[in-house]
Amino acid sequence: MSKRILIVDDAAFMRMMIKDILSKNGFEVVGEAGDGAQAVEKYAELKPDLVTMDITMPEMDGIAALKAIKAKDPSATIIMCSAMGQQAMVIDAIQAGAKDFIVKPFQADRVIEAISKAIG
């Protein structure tokens, strides 16, 4: 059975890039969200196996969304996506329960490696 993934990023282009990488590698993208608040709602509704979460977003940032999802489902598997230079935020995210992080611009093999490792 393919793993079900929720993609969260405020940039539609980034969501499309991740979706393309995942689809080509046998993962099923079950939903997309454009901000942290949507991510929390979609997570509850879709119950994905994994979430890719952008850090910098309007409404609710990725770290706040990560904490909200983890509060409802401590077993949630979330990988953070960040641009270069956000190391402090990445450390916050890992401490809040993120499994891993991938750096933009995405390299397909790194995305697949992080996801495969996170959901084993």
Side-chain angles (χ1 to χ4, degrees), residues 81-100:
C81 304
S82 72
M84 289 303 244
Q86 293 182 320
Q87 281 86 350
M89 289 181 176
V90 167
I91 291 165
D92 285 351
I94 299 290
Q95 289 171 340
K99 284 270 189 278
D100 202 347

Side-chain angles (χ1 to χ4, degrees), residues 13-83:
F13 172 72
M14 284 297 175
R15 293 197 306 268
M16 196 176 72
M17 274 179 60
I18 300 174
K19 190 176 192 171
D20 188 51
I21 292 167
L22 297 177
S23 301
K24 286 180 179 161
N25 286 276
F27 294 98
E28 180 190 354
V29 175
V30 293
E32 296 180 27
D35 64 49
Q38 280 180 11
V40 175
E41 279 173 36
K42 293 259 186 184
Y43 185 88
E45 176 192 326
L46 300 168
K47 304 273 188 277
D49 297 307
L50 182 132
V51 180
T52 65
M53 179 85 69
D54 186 23
I55 291 179
T56 312
M57 293 182 292
E59 301 296 318
M60 176 191 273
D61 70 27
I63 294 174
L66 163 74
K67 290 176 179 172
I69 290 170
K70 282 293 211 178
K72 290 187 173 121
D73 179 3
S75 68
T77 302
I78 301 171
I79 292 178
M80 304 308 286
C81 304
S82 72

